Amino acid sequence: MSPRRVYLHVGAPKTGTTYLQDRLALNADALRRHGYTYPTGPHEDMFLAALDVVDRPWGGMRPLAQGEWDALVRRTRKVRGTAVLSHEILAGARPSGVRRVLDSLDGTEVHVVYTARDVARQVAAEWQEQVKHQRKLSFRTFLEQIRETDQRKATRWFWRVQGLGGVLDRWGRGLAPERFHLVTVPRPGGPAGELWRRFCAATGMDPAWAPVEGARKNPSIGTAETTLLRRVNARLKAAGLPSDQYRSLVRHAVVHQTWANRPDMQPVTLPPEAFDWAEEIAQLWIERALEAGVDVVGDLEELRPVRPAPDAVWQDPDRPSNRDVSSAALDAIVALTLEAARRPDPADPLVSRSARLSRLLRR
């Protein structure tokens, strides 16, 4: 048995994918009654299956992904009706990975869905995402590397997942244009739920079939928080903190649960002189989509960056105020203290925690 159709949502990262996946999961039973299945299986999402295809170390998680894509395909082939598969890192699959995916779904009508957002917002979001994965690169260096790399060659992860032309070349090869659905992400301030409605239009679902919205997000943080995290990453690397504990303590407890909720954060934005470059990228993407004749859901003009007001003062993401950094640090200390209180040590908690804290403070 195989589903008659598979919608394969391959990214891009930081385009509302966590929101879309959460909504699919929360409404899985209701969607199944309408002939749509989101076959996550034993995991809450399809990350490990996607990692099995992308084949990257990912902080030591690659061994956990072995065989996960094949397991997802087996679940998918049991679906009656239509299956929806989704994870944003699939956009970064190399041609061999794409062939593996499409070959494994042979015998079904495969559609690829790609959500895209303007490059100005994506550069800022991807820099933060890399810092959240223990990197220490400054925004200036990250932007320089992006601008100096030919996006058509996709030698950097950023262009592999965010470069619309490259994603079209890899994932659209051999597909009829009408089976590649390009969903543009609405600009800030648009109607609530518009991204979900566009995703449903691309996949043939009725938005009303999935009324429950979740709270799970992959939020951005501000300049002070990101700068502080870069500094913390350098210290923690020297201290040898394992990646799994970093994910739990730093990325989850501090970044997502604490800093993401701080009010009045200074957003990370491109320097004014970079907007001409961003405009050129947008024009290339728009021309490529029109040339390919793919199904566009939304407005290609939304891929153009919104320039800041002429009198706006740009805040260098690498130089936040010391006051803001100190405030973020205090919030992090409170969050980690509360987290430590919820995780009592099996031995003497006061002695062991004091010893660890003393070692950290002496660095």
Side-chain angles (χ1 to χ4, degrees):
M1 183 195 311
S2 291
R4 67 174 183 270
R5 184 175 298 157
V6 174
Y7 285 98
L8 186 60
H9 179 212
V10 301
K14 307 302 294 184
T15 58
T17 53
T18 301
Y19 161 75
L20 295 173
Q21 292 153 8
D22 202 29
R23 194 156 184 173
L24 288 167
L26 288 171
N27 294 275
D29 291 341
L31 289 171
R32 196 176 295 110
R33 290 194 291 272
H34 293 281
Y36 280 77
T37 300
Y38 185 57
T40 50
H43 308 294
E44 67 175 7
D45 59 26
M46 299 178 182
F47 165 69
L48 288 177
L51 183 59
D52 193 12
V53 171
V54 174
D55 194 20
R56 290 171 66 90
W58 219 272
M61 297 187 70
R62 178 63 183 93
L64 300 176
Q66 190 67 34
E68 287 289 339
W69 178 257
D70 292 339
L72 176 58
V73 170
R74 287 194 294 271
R75 293 195 299 273
T76 301
R77 289 200 172 276
K78 295 177 182 178
V79 168
R80 294 178 180 272
T82 299
V84 181
L85 312 182
S86 174
H87 204 277
E88 59 273 17
I89 68 170
L90 284 170
R94 298 185 184 277
S96 58
V98 174
R99 287 194 300 272
R100 176 188 174 189
V101 168
L102 297 181
D103 288 348
S104 69
L105 297 172
D106 185 48
T108 64
E109 183 184 304
V110 176
H111 292 242
V112 172
V113 182
Y114 183 69
T115 40
R117 192 168 70 152
D118 76 81
V119 74
R121 287 191 289 170
Q122 292 303 81
V123 167
E126 279 281 2
W127 173 62
Q128 289 188 349
E129 198 64 20
Q130 293 201 17
V131 174
K132 286 193 287 184
H133 283 77
Q134 300 177 266
R135 297 198 66 187
K136 306 176 292 297
L137 208 62
S138 69
F139 182 71
R140 177 181 178 179
T141 300
F142 180 75
L143 179 58
E144 286 177 351
Q145 289 179 351
I146 296 303
R147 295 185 65 173
E148 291 171 358
T149 305
D150 187 345
Q151 66 163 314
R152 293 169 296 184
K153 296 180 180 178
T155 54
R156 291 195 180 276
W157 176 253
F158 178 87
W159 288 125
R160 281 172 57 187
V161 295
Q162 302 293 345
L164 174 58
V167 173
L168 256 173
D169 289 342
R170 282 176 279 122
W171 283 102
R173 189 180 303 276
L175 283 182
E178 61 271 18
R179 289 198 196 177
F180 191 105
H181 310 275
L182 173 60
V183 178
T184 61
V185 175
R187 287 184 172 140
E194 180 62 18
L195 178 60
W196 175 247
R197 286 188 288 273
R198 292 183 184 185
F199 184 79
C200 288
T203 56
M205 294 189 292
D206 186 327
W209 294 348
V212 180
E213 290 196 54
R216 193 168 69 95
K217 298 177 181 178
N218 187 12
S220 295
I221 53 178
T223 59
E225 294 76 15
T226 311
T227 290
L228 178 57
L229 184 57
R230 287 176 52 222
R231 297 173 184 173
V232 169
N233 286 347
R235 295 287 186 93
L236 290 179
K237 182 177 182 180
L241 182 72
S243 294
D244 59 336
Q245 293 185 27
Y246 180 93
R247 289 192 295 270
S248 173
L249 292 171
V250 180
R251 195 184 313 161
H252 179 72
V254 174
V255 178
H256 290 169
Q257 297 297 316
T258 304
W259 284 346
N261 297 313
R262 281 168 53 82
D264 304 322
M265 287 185 290
Q266 176 66 47
V268 178
T269 59
L270 286 187
E273 63 270 16
F275 275 86
D276 286 345
W277 165 80
E279 182 70 37
E280 293 173 3
I281 296 295
Q283 185 62 36
L284 289 173
W285 287 0
I286 291 170
E287 291 175 358
R288 182 69 180 86
L290 291 173
E291 176 190 10
V294 299
D295 175 41
V296 176
V297 183
D299 187 350
L300 288 176
E301 288 299 308
E302 291 171 322
L303 297 179
R304 297 191 189 279
V306 178
R307 292 178 179 267
D311 58 346
V313 177
W314 180 65
Q315 299 293 325
D316 187 343
D318 295 325
R319 297 178 178 273
S321 73
N322 290 332
R323 177 180 173 182
D324 288 344
V325 173
S326 297
S327 177
L330 289 173
D331 282 349
I333 291 171
V334 170
L336 289 173
T337 301
L338 294 174
E339 186 66 19
R342 286 192 288 268
R343 301 184 183 191
D345 293 326
D348 186 340
L350 294 177
V351 174
S352 56
R353 287 177 195 162
S354 297
R356 286 199 301 272
L357 181 59
S358 297
R359 287 196 297 270
L360 286 174
L361 291 177
R362 286 198 299 269
R363 293 186 180 277

